[in-house]
């Protein structure tokens, strides 16, 4: 409509320009709702909840307004804004298809990772069909044609009001993206639909763009402040147990063991799925589980976001208590991060991280320095010719590097190895297609879903083989060695999980993975226990005989009842009773103080207080089963 209007005609009939802009604004808002697809912003909802429809389109409208002021071309400006929206929606569709959850503000941190290995990882998820790219090319051609051919809707002069209006639109858009507080008057849970625990529900009812703004405005202004009084209260209730457990020294006669931790990409027990109850795809894991401790592992992510689980394991901190840290290595700027690595270093360990990928991806190079690793062996340090299987380095290459790094003398070693062979997407041709095609598939899984499931099973079967090979070598070493093996999250097999379902009837966003802790040299009776990823370092240190960190003693104490609260973003929150809510709240403050480097002072003060209170006879500390913590009586 705008293309038939000339500058001269608009200068004579300004009301026509106003009408055109009003109609295009309305059309843009309705089209945004149509592209969004959410029930709360569908075009017909303009009549009963117009605020939802307009709020979701507002970021695009502000962009279109700024572009119009500077280009004076209406169709071009609204077209560019719609293209920008379309890009966001396309990326969102890719995330939903692979991970089952929509975009959140923290996902935009990944833009800075594209030149650090991210383009290789994320690019693999782009469509293989040429049609989306042809459509993008056609859109570019159309926009270029509009730039060259579309008549100006707005007159050139007077230019100052037009430029001021454009600057104002751009400023409003930037303050909205930045999360300026005044925007909370529109983007709030009274005006729009907001479920803090469910980005999916929020996006469905309020629209994706509104959901991004809601989460940005309400959960993007820094971490919660810890409550030292609540932390002291929990430490006070646990003082007896902490006093007994926080004793330095090693109980084993052999001295400190070497420790090897394998974070296995997307590893989980397929028998959790219907149709695989009697499958034997991971026989080595099963064999070792009968000789050690294993069980369900609750992790804070699904289908991706490896560093969320990794952060919890290396620090012992639950990301439940840090809602702003969606991608901790990208968002955390601390120079020193307390945790497992620094505790081991203080006990004389040499600490080494191993990963066959670009070290700058996920900002691991900087993060591992802050966490305390002595060395980081990344892709470039692996032997030349280390083979891939599928898109990424084969697990065999990682096992070879672990064995090459182990020493027969010197200080005890901590090796933290991160595998990558089983990383998605699962439509890449593996090294042995015949082996892949032999993987069993339940009835009803066909086409692309069958291919992806077989590729995944092929890769975790290799992970299991390498686990067995590593354990065999460790069992023959003269030095004692502990082996911790776990999966960082379930694979991004959204359609498969929706079709087959889980044996326990669970949801993929809260379904736990699996873990194993074993001494390969010593057979022990099997123990099964469900834990969360942030509990693993405390259990590992206890097994190694290292008990000089009061925080990890506390995680062993309160962890069992809090473990099931850990789940991927978007999962339905677990029900907490008053007692559990109290422990959860107090542990949040303890964790936040720990990350801030302020917990040690509280632990020291608590020790002095306990020593003073227990000088009197008859005050032997013991566990209070009602609290799940220690108390003195």
């Amino acid at each position: 409509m705008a293309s038939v209007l000339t500058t001269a005609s608009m200068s004579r009939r300004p009301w026509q320009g106003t009408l055109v802009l009003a109609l295009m604004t309305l059309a843009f808002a309705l089209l945004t709702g149509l592209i969004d697809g959410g029930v709360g912003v569908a075009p017909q909802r303009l009549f009963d909840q117009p605020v939802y429809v307009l709020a979701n389109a507002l970021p695009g409208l502000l962009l279109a307004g700024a572009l119009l002021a500077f280009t004076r071309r209406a169709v071009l400006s609204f077209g560019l804004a719609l293209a920008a929206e379309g890009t966001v929606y396309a990326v969102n569709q890719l995330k939903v298809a692979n991970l089952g959850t929509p975009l959140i503000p923290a996902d935009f941190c990944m833009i800075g990772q594209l030149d650090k290995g991210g383009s290789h990882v994320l690019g693999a998820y782009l469509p293989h069909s040429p049609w989306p790219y042809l459509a993008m090319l056609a859109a570019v051609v159309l926009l270029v044609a509009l730039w060259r051919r579309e008549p100006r809707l707005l007159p050139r002069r007077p230019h100052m009001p037009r430029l001021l209006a454009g600057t104002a639109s751009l400023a409003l858009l930037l303050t909205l993206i930045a999360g300026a507080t005044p925007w909370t008057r529109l983007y709030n849970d009274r005006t729009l639909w907001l479920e803090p625990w469910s980005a999916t529900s929020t996006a469905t009812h309020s629209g994706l763009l509104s959901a991004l703004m809601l989460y940005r405005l309400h959960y993007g202004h820094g971490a919660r402040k810890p409550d030292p009084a609540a932390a002291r209260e929990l430490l006070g209730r646990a003082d007896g147990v902490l006093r007994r457990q926080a004793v330095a020294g090693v109980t084993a006669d052999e001295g400190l063991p070497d420790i090897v931790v394998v974070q296995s990409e997307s590893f989980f027990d397929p028998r959790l799925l219907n149709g695989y109850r009697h499958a034997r795809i991971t026989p080595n894991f099963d064999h070792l589980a009968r000789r050690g401790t294993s069980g369900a592992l609750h992790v804070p992510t699904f289908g991706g976001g490896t560093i969320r689980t990794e952060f919890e394991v290396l620090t012992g901190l639950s990301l439940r208590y840090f809602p702003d840290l969606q991608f901790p290595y990208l968002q955390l700027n601390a120079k020193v991060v307390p945790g497992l690595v620094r505790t081991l270093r203080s006990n004389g360990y040499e600490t080494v991280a191993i990963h066959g990928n670009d070290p700058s991806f996920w900002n691991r190079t900087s993060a591992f320095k802050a966490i305390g690793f002595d060395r980081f062996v990344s892709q470039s340090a692996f032997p030349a010719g280390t083979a891939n299987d599928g898109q990424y380095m084969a697990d065999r290459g990682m096992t070879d590097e672990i064995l090459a790094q182990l020493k027969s003398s010197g200080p005890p070693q901590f090796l933290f190895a991160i595998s990558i062979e089983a990383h998605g997407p699962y439509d890449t041709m593996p090294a042995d297609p015949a082996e892949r095609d032999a993987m069993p598939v339940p009835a009803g899984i066909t086409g692309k879903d069958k291919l992806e499931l077989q590729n995944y099973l092929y890769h975790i079967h290799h992970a299991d083989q390498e686990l067995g090979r590593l354990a065999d070598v460790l069992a023959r070493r003269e030095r004692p060695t502990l082996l911790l093996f776990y999966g960082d999250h379930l694979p991004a097999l959204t359609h498969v999980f929706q079709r087959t379902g889980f044996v326990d009837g669970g949801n993929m966003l809260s379904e736990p993975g699996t873990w194993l802790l074993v001494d390969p040299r010593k057979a022990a009776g099997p123990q099964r226990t469900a834990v969360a990823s942030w509990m693993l370092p405390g259990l590992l240190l206890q097994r190694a005989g290292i008990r000089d960190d009061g925080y990890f003693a506390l995680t062993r104490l309160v962890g069992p009842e809090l473990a099931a609260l850990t789940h991927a973003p978007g999962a339905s929150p677990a029900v907490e009773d008053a007692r559990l809510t109290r422990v959860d709240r107090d542990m949040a403050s303890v964790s936040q103080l720990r990350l801030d480097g302020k917990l040690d002072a509280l632990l020291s003060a608590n020790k002095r207080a306990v020593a003073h209170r227990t000088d009197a006879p008859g005050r032997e500390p013991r566990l209070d089963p009602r609290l799940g913590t220690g108390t003195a009586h």
Side-chain angles (χ1 to χ4, degrees):
M1 183 175 182
S3 63
V4 302
L5 298 172
T6 65
T7 303
S9 63
M10 285 309 308
S11 64
R12 291 192 298 267
R13 291 185 288 273
W15 64 269
Q16 290 185 346
T18 303
L19 177 61
V20 167
L21 291 179
L23 291 174
M24 294 191 73
T25 298
L26 178 61
F28 186 92
L30 296 177
L31 191 55
T32 298
L34 187 65
I35 295 171
D36 186 284
V39 296
V41 294
Q44 62 269 26
R45 303 311 298 268
L46 183 67
F47 299 102
D48 63 332
Q49 50 183 40
V51 173
Y52 280 64
V53 177
L54 295 174
N56 191 53
L58 183 57
L61 288 172
L62 290 174
L63 177 59
L67 291 169
L68 177 61
F70 295 108
T71 69
R72 297 185 290 140
R73 297 169 174 86
V75 178
L76 175 66
S77 299
F78 280 90
L80 285 170
L82 194 64
E85 280 190 351
T87 301
V88 174
Y89 278 109
V91 174
N92 179 70
Q93 183 59 36
L94 287 174
K95 185 183 178 187
V96 171
N98 286 281
L99 304 183
T101 56
L103 287 173
I104 57 174
D107 289 328
F108 291 87
C109 293
M110 293 302 298
I111 295 174
Q113 294 295 297
L114 293 178
D115 62 341
K116 302 173 183 177
S119 57
H120 175 63
V121 175
L122 301 179
Y125 291 93
L126 294 175
H128 299 311
S129 168
W131 294 111
Y133 307 104
L134 291 174
M136 292 171 59
L137 178 61
V140 171
V141 170
L142 178 60
L143 291 172
V144 171
L146 287 171
W147 173 261
R148 293 175 61 87
R149 297 292 185 180
E150 182 189 2
R152 275 68 165 176
L153 178 65
L154 302 180
R156 182 179 181 85
R157 297 182 182 279
H159 59 270
M160 188 55 67
R162 174 170 53 82
L163 295 179
L164 287 175
T167 302
S169 292
L170 183 60
L172 288 171
L173 176 61
L174 293 177
T175 58
L176 178 56
I177 293 173
T181 303
W183 284 108
T184 58
R185 296 179 182 178
L186 173 60
Y187 296 97
N188 60 69
D189 59 0
R190 297 178 303 278
T191 306
L192 302 172
W193 184 296
L194 171 61
E195 291 187 29
W197 57 87
S198 177
T200 299
S201 180
T202 301
T204 298
H205 291 279
S206 292
L208 173 67
L209 302 179
S210 283
L212 289 170
M213 296 303 107
L214 285 163
Y215 282 102
R216 178 72 180 92
L217 288 161
H218 292 275
Y219 304 101
H221 294 287
R224 302 171 186 169
K225 292 183 178 180
D227 180 358
R232 280 192 293 269
E233 184 180 347
L234 179 58
L235 294 174
R237 298 199 305 271
D239 55 15
V241 177
L242 293 180
R243 186 160 59 91
R244 290 200 301 271
Q245 291 196 19
V247 177
V250 181
T251 58
D253 296 334
E254 302 172 292
L256 291 169
D258 288 338
I259 298 173
V260 176
V261 176
V262 175
Q263 178 175 275
S264 187
E265 175 63 44
S266 300
F267 188 95
F268 87 113
D269 188 347
R271 288 170 298 189
L272 296 175
L273 282 177
N274 289 317
Y276 283 104
R277 273 191 165 182
H278 304 294
R280 282 184 52 81
I281 296 172
T282 57
N284 292 291
F285 183 94
D286 297 341
H287 169 71
L288 292 170
R290 292 191 291 269
R291 299 165 55 91
T293 306
S294 64
L297 179 66
H298 298 274
V299 299
T301 188
F302 166 79
T306 292
I307 58 169
R308 291 178 58 79
T309 303
E310 187 176 306
F311 175 83
E312 289 201 349
V313 172
L314 291 175
T315 65
L317 298 169
S318 171
L319 285 173
R320 275 174 46 76
Y321 305 136
F322 305 92
D324 288 339
L325 290 182
Q326 292 295 320
F327 301 116
Y329 292 175
L330 304 182
Q331 298 170 271
L332 194 62
N333 297 315
K335 299 295 184 183
V336 175
V337 177
L340 172 64
V341 181
R342 292 192 177 276
T343 297
L344 289 172
R345 282 183 63 182
S346 70
N347 281 273
Y349 275 79
E350 178 191 4
T351 58
V352 181
I354 302 170
H355 184 39
N357 197 24
D358 188 327
S360 60
F361 185 55
W362 286 131
N363 196 35
R364 279 193 173 101
T365 300
S366 298
F368 281 177
K369 288 180 180 178
I371 287 171
F373 280 106
D374 295 312
R375 292 188 292 119
F376 180 16
V377 180
S378 59
Q379 186 175 22
S380 61
F382 278 64
T386 301
N388 284 9
D389 195 336
Q391 187 164 333
Y392 299 103
M393 183 180 290
D395 281 357
R396 171 169 287 276
M398 182 194 70
T399 305
D400 290 343
E401 188 61 30
I402 292 172
L403 298 177
Q405 291 291 332
L406 282 172
K407 301 173 183 176
S408 57
S409 61
Q413 287 184 278
F414 171 65
L415 304 185
F416 181 77
I418 306 162
S419 79
I420 195 171
E421 178 183 330
H423 198 290
Y426 301 111
D427 56 1
T428 303
M429 182 67 70
D432 189 344
E435 180 187 345
R436 183 270 314 277
D437 294 341
M439 290 294 162
V441 176
I445 303 296
T446 60
K448 181 183 177 183
D449 292 341
K450 176 181 178 180
L451 174 68
E452 291 183 345
L453 179 56
Q454 287 183 311
N455 273 329
Y456 168 73
L457 295 174
Y458 165 92
H459 290 305
I460 66 160
H461 182 62
H462 288 181
D464 180 74
Q465 289 175 335
E466 291 308 308
L467 170 63
R469 180 164 78 101
L470 177 61
D472 287 345
V473 175
L474 297 182
R476 297 193 298 269
R477 296 185 76 219
E478 292 184 4
R479 293 173 61 151
T481 310
L482 292 178
L483 174 58
L484 173 63
F485 179 93
Y486 65 92
D488 55 351
H489 52 69
L490 268 63
L493 296 171
T494 305
H495 295 153
V496 171
F497 294 149
Q498 291 171 342
R499 183 172 291 275
T500 64
F502 294 93
V503 172
D504 63 2
N507 180 278
M508 61 186 178
L509 297 180
S510 55
E511 187 71 22
T514 191
W515 72 287
L516 165 74
L517 176 59
V518 65
D519 180 347
R521 299 198 315 172
K522 297 179 180 178
Q527 297 183 32
R528 293 279 299 177
T529 182
V531 302
S533 44
W534 55 271
M535 296 168 57
L536 290 179
L539 296 172
L540 180 61
L541 289 171
Q542 182 184 46
R543 182 70 178 270
I546 298 172
R547 301 184 176 87
D548 57 353
D549 192 314
Y551 173 76
F552 286 123
L554 184 63
T555 65
R556 293 192 294 270
L557 188 62
V558 303
E561 58 183 340
L562 296 176
L565 301 181
T566 294
H567 52 66
S572 299
V575 177
E576 301 182 47
D577 59 24
R579 182 190 58 79
L580 187 58
T581 299
R582 179 188 182 191
V583 175
D584 193 28
R585 177 206 65 193
D586 295 351
M587 191 62 185
S589 290
V590 169
S591 300
Q592 290 156 9
L593 290 169
R594 168 78 166 184
L595 184 58
D596 291 342
K598 300 177 181 178
L599 183 64
D600 287 346
L602 280 184
L603 286 169
S604 298
N606 185 67
K607 287 181 182 178
R608 291 193 297 270
V610 170
H612 175 74
R613 290 198 306 271
T614 55
D615 279 344
R619 293 187 60 84
E620 177 64 24
R622 63 180 178 85
L623 276 175
D624 185 344
R626 297 169 301 171
L627 296 177
T629 53
T631 186
H633 295 273

